[in-house]
């Protein structure tokens, strides 16, 4: 059997001892956290739109990416553009913090109204609708 060098063994022993000490004193017990909630299409849409609008407001280098590079559907990108126009107006009127708050509210509202806005991309299809070629030919991009 190959043994790790002494320093690695010592580090592992110290880590194990610390863990056992924490368990013995109850320090390692975390409060009961509810199970994480699954993200809905509207949650993902709101998160993406809000993130990219804020990047545009900050003048980020990455804000100039196209909709595909940002991971947005066509419909999400339309929501992005509408929210960005409103956020820029809010920023001029009340400052960046207010524009960020408006961005979060409007992205959430519009994405929920559009049920996630995922179905509008010309080349986006739910996984269940992907055709699998069986005859060696590729499916048409209809």
């Amino acid at each position: 059997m190959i043994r790790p060098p002494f320093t690695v063994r010592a580090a592992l022993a110290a880590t194990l001892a610390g863990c056992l000490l924490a368990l013995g004193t109850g320090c390692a017990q975390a409060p009961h956290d509810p199970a994480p909630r699954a993200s809905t299409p509207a949650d993902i849409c709101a998160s993406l739109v809000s993130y990219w609008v804020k990047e545009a407001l900050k003048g980020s280098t990455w804000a100039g990416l196209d909709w595909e590079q940002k991971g947005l559907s066509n419909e999400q990108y339309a929501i992005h553009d509408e929210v960005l126009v409103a956020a820029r107006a809010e920023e001029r009127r009340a400052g960046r913090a207010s524009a960020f708050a408006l961005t979060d509210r409007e992205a959430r509202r519009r994405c929920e109204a559009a049920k996630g806005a995922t179905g509008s991309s010309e080349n986006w299809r739910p996984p269940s609708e992907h055709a699998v070629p069986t005859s060696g030919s590729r499916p048409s991009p209809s």
Side-chain angles (χ1 to χ4, degrees), residues 12 16 19 23 28-30 34 36 57 60-61 73-74 82 91 103 109 116 118 130 140:
L12 289 172
L16 179 60
C19 289
L23 285 172
Q29 294 178 355
L57 291 172
S60 163
T61 303
S73 70
N74 290 346
E82 294 164 359
E91 184 175 35
T103 295
R109 184 181 70 78
T118 59
H130 284 277
S140 65

Side-chain angles (χ1 to χ4, degrees), residues 3 7 17 30 50 57 69 91-92 97-98 110 135:
R3 295 178 61 150
T7 55
S50 180
L57 291 172
Q69 292 167 319
E91 184 175 35
R92 286 189 298 275
S98 183
R110 292 171 189 246
S135 64

Side-chain angles (χ1 to χ4, degrees), residues 70-123:
K70 290 177 180 178
L72 302 172
S73 70
N74 290 346
E75 193 175 1
Q76 289 166 347
Y77 194 61
I79 292 170
H80 166 277
D81 287 349
E82 294 164 359
V83 172
L84 181 57
V85 167
R88 283 186 171 146
E90 181 68 12
E91 184 175 35
R92 286 189 298 275
R93 188 185 70 70
R96 182 163 291 167
S98 183
F100 279 10
L102 177 134
T103 295
D104 290 336
R105 284 192 313 273
E106 282 299 298
R108 167 64 52 194
R109 184 181 70 78
R110 292 171 189 246
C111 286
E112 284 179 354
K115 297 182 177 21
T118 59
S120 65
S121 294
E122 295 145 11
N123 54 359

Side-chain angles (χ1 to χ4, degrees), residues 12-33:
L12 289 172
T15 301
L16 179 60
C19 289
L20 290 173
L21 178 63
L23 285 172
T25 62
C27 295
Q29 294 178 355
H32 183 311
D33 291 328

Side-chain angles (χ1 to χ4, degrees), residues 38-64:
S39 296
T40 65
D43 293 335
I44 295 166
C45 172
S47 177
L48 283 168
V49 169
S50 180
Y51 174 83
W52 286 114
V53 168
K54 290 175 183 176
E55 287 299 298
L57 291 172
K58 292 187 284 185
S60 163
T61 303
W62 302 110

